[in-house]
Amino acid sequence: MFEKVLIANRGESALRIHRACREMGIQTVAVHSTADSDAMHVRLADESVCIGPPSPRESYLNIPAILTAAAITGADAIHPGIGFMAENATFAEMVEEHGFVFIGPTPQHIRIMGDKITAKRTVKELGLPTVPGSDGVVATLEAAKPLAARIGYPVLIKASAGGGGKGMKVASSAKDLAEAYTLARNEARAAFGNDEVYLEKYLAHPRHIEVQILGDTHGHAIHLGERDCSIQRRHQKVIEEAPSPGLNDAERAQIGKLAASVVQRLGYRGVGTLEFLYENGRFYFIEMNTRLQIEHTITEMVTGLDLVRAQIRVAAGLPLGIKQSDVLPSGHAIECRINAENPETFIPSPGLVTDFHAPGGLGVRVDSALYSGYRVPPYYDSMIAKLIVHGKTRNECLLRLRRSLEEFVIGGIETTLPLHRRLVAQPDFIDGRYDIHWLEGFLDPLS
Ligand code: MV4
């Protein structure tokens, strides 16, 4: 096992990795920007290295600075945390070239899944259902026309380098195709420096279901059930839950089994997520995330497994040590992402946290790097806390979530806590009746 791990991240995700390392007897090295000298992840780590100025490009995304910090502290391995370097294949490659272990998948797996066309082709060949569409890049508008007609409108033009909704345009009918196609390519070129696009049938009201998977270097792979991440705004998840209230047990078993078999045949190492759209009883693969995700916590709550511990073990070459039949999900978990933002306008609200009181009690978990007296810097993601609640049933979970949100106090800055208190009182949410557009409709009934 590793003796010392460098955590190349900040905030609650850096804390999450630190906690797993601590429990495994592994020393931790924090890296931080000059804006984060007082951050909790720096305080908790055994050692810390300042790697640059506040701008992420010059610090948390600065590969030479991170590798140097690992070298001078004598770390064996680097954990990228969530975000920043977590899905950067070049970074993973450089980490290994410099003699450190990258705690994550191989650079090749990150690269395959980072290209959405290659990812779709790869998993389709291994038996996953995909959205009907073009078999690969659609290089010209002339090629797009007959393809779109065959797929049937509405069609969606997606960027191969995309994800997170950038470079994605809907064409409702043939007369919209030229504009949507051109816009998608231009947006993709501007955002990713790659304007390759592909076509898919547009699904109007799907749920977003993702399956957590875990593989080792000994040919084993398992799934840890699904999460429903449909409650989102502008491609930012707001609430996630496990299991999904929209699936029955047969559907759940079917997609889990399929996901695990694909991951096993990929020879995938580490944790990952297969993302699906789900509509009218069918699953359609859209993307694979080759990292730990923010919402891994709800899977931990229903399975009782420590996903970061598992990730570190398989990166060190150890076998999974658990079989599919050992995974026995129980009860229900919901996560609310709490951001330092105005709860109506979503304008970021960094600044001094004057009060911080986290809820507690049975089945309540708060993952946050906040403390009273901490100043939330303006340079980074606005998520400041995750409230995760578990209950024996979905109803018990909802009651516990409501009372935990009542207890939670974050003073001095604006947060999205009031939004969460409204959301958990909505009949559609209580009944589990929502799709990927539900939250935007709730926030803006005229849209
Ligand atoms: C889709 C879709 C409808 N039909 N693909 C959004 C970003 C990327 N991850 C995939 N996305 C979508 N792909 C087809 N064929 C709708 C979305 C989508 C979406 C997906 C998951 C979660 C939230 C979303 C919000 C808007 C659109």
Side-chain angles (χ1 to χ4, degrees):
M1 186 41 65
F2 311 123
E3 281 179 19
K4 195 185 275 191
V5 167
L6 181 139
I7 302 163
N9 216 304
R10 64 182 303 284
E12 63 82 26
S13 96
L15 283 195
R16 175 68 193 86
I17 313 311
H18 167 83
R19 288 172 172 152
C21 289
R22 250 310 140 86
E23 293 176 15
M24 297 173 82
I26 300 169
Q27 303 265 318
T28 60
V29 180
V31 293
H32 66 92
S33 70
T34 52
D36 275 343
S37 304
D38 294 329
M40 196 63 151
H41 78 280
V42 177
R43 296 190 177 190
L44 285 185
D46 295 296
E47 289 170 79
S48 64
V49 182
C50 181
I51 52 167
S55 159
R57 201 170 37 82
E58 298 178 85
S59 50
Y60 298 104
L61 297 171
N62 182 342
I63 298 178
I66 295 166
L67 294 176
T68 304
I72 63 178
T73 55
D76 316 299
I78 299 182
H79 195 304
I82 302 174
F84 292 129
M85 300 305 221
E87 289 180 296
N88 184 326
T90 304
F91 177 67
E93 222 159 55
M94 289 179 74
V95 166
E96 310 228 304
E97 278 165 11
H98 285 77
F100 308 108
V101 174
F102 179 75
I103 302 178
T106 60
Q108 296 88 312
H109 281 127
I110 299 174
R111 199 161 273 133
I112 288 169
M113 297 305 167
D115 182 277
K116 307 304 161 193
I117 292 175
T118 313
K120 187 176 177 184
R121 182 181 305 125
T122 304
V123 303
K124 190 178 177 188
E125 280 168 10
L126 294 172
L128 280 188
T130 57
V131 191
S134 62
D135 284 321
V137 187
V138 181
T140 64
L141 175 61
E142 288 319 301
K145 285 175 183 169
L147 268 170
R150 181 173 59 73
I151 293 164
Y153 287 92
V155 298
L156 192 56
I157 299 115
K158 287 184 168 180
S160 191
K166 274 209 197 92
M168 202 175 81
K169 295 287 167 217
V170 185
S172 311
S173 67
K175 70 171 171 30
D176 297 343
L177 184 66
E179 181 175 317
Y181 178 84
T182 308
L183 275 175
R185 281 193 63 171
N186 290 344
E187 210 172 289
R189 191 181 312 115
F192 315 113
N194 170 355
D195 67 354
E196 286 185 347
V197 296
Y198 60 111
L199 260 55
E200 277 185 354
K201 175 82 186 170
Y202 176 67
L203 305 177
H205 291 287
R207 300 181 83 107
H208 180 204
I209 306 288
E210 56 183 36
V211 180
Q212 178 70 56
I213 58 82
L214 174 56
D216 68 15
T217 51
H218 302 263
H220 308 121
I222 59 172
H223 74 87
L224 303 176
E226 89 285 2
R227 298 184 284 259
D228 194 318
C229 304
S230 302
I231 309 253
Q232 57 83 41
R233 175 183 174 272
R234 300 193 179 172
H235 303 289
Q236 297 285 339
K237 293 165 188 167
V238 174
I239 299 181
E240 307 96 349
E241 61 178 312
S244 168
L247 301 187
N248 62 43
D249 284 340
E251 291 170 320
R252 180 167 293 129
Q254 176 220 338
I255 200 64
K257 196 171 168 189
L258 210 49
S261 97
V262 164
V263 167
Q264 196 263 329
R265 282 182 294 155
L266 274 173
Y268 184 87
R269 163 189 92 198
V271 303
T273 304
L274 292 162
E275 293 193 346
F276 299 88
L277 297 178
Y278 170 85
E279 192 175 71
N280 299 326
R282 290 200 181 86
F283 293 98
Y284 305 88
F285 167 87
I286 48 169
E287 290 168 23
M288 180 172 186
N289 296 316
T290 55
R291 63 168 194 283
L292 185 73
Q293 287 185 281
I294 292 174
E295 63 272 23
H296 75 279
T297 53
I298 54 174
T299 300
E300 292 187 324
M301 297 294 265
V302 296
T303 61
L305 295 169
D306 180 335
L307 282 177
V308 180
R309 181 188 178 92
Q311 195 182 22
I312 294 170
R313 284 176 49 93
V314 301
L318 294 171
L320 277 185
I322 43 167
K323 306 183 297 297
Q324 190 65 58
S325 58
D326 299 328
V327 181
L328 300 165
S330 97
H332 199 91
I334 302 181
E335 171 172 274
C336 291
R337 296 191 188 190
I338 297 149
N339 292 352
E341 291 171 357
N342 177 287
E344 273 150 34
T345 62
F346 300 98
I347 293 170
S349 174
L352 184 67
V353 177
T354 53
D355 298 281
F356 184 74
H357 176 80
L362 181 63
V364 179
R365 166 176 174 183
V366 175
D367 279 18
S368 174
L370 283 202
Y371 57 87
S372 188
Y374 176 66
R375 189 173 282 279
V376 177
Y379 312 104
Y380 310 108
D381 191 278
S382 64
M383 195 186 72
I384 49 169
K386 309 189 298 198
L387 169 62
I388 310 111
V389 168
H390 182 265
K392 285 192 296 293
T393 61
R394 187 167 185 271
N395 189 50
E396 184 178 276
C397 186
L398 285 170
L399 295 170
R400 189 163 281 158
L401 179 59
R402 218 164 295 148
R403 82 85 181 145
S404 302
L405 285 165
E406 283 167 17
E407 281 180 34
F408 214 143
V409 178
I410 302 175
I413 56 171
E414 292 190 289
T415 77
T416 52
L417 273 168
L419 169 67
H420 285 290
R421 295 186 186 119
R422 282 167 67 208
L423 291 176
V424 298
Q426 287 307 306
D428 283 343
F429 179 69
I430 292 168
D431 296 342
R433 265 186 322 212
Y434 56 78
D435 62 30
I436 60 171
H437 305 297
W438 181 84
L439 178 58
E440 281 164 4
F442 171 78
L443 293 171
D444 183 6
L446 300 177
S447 77

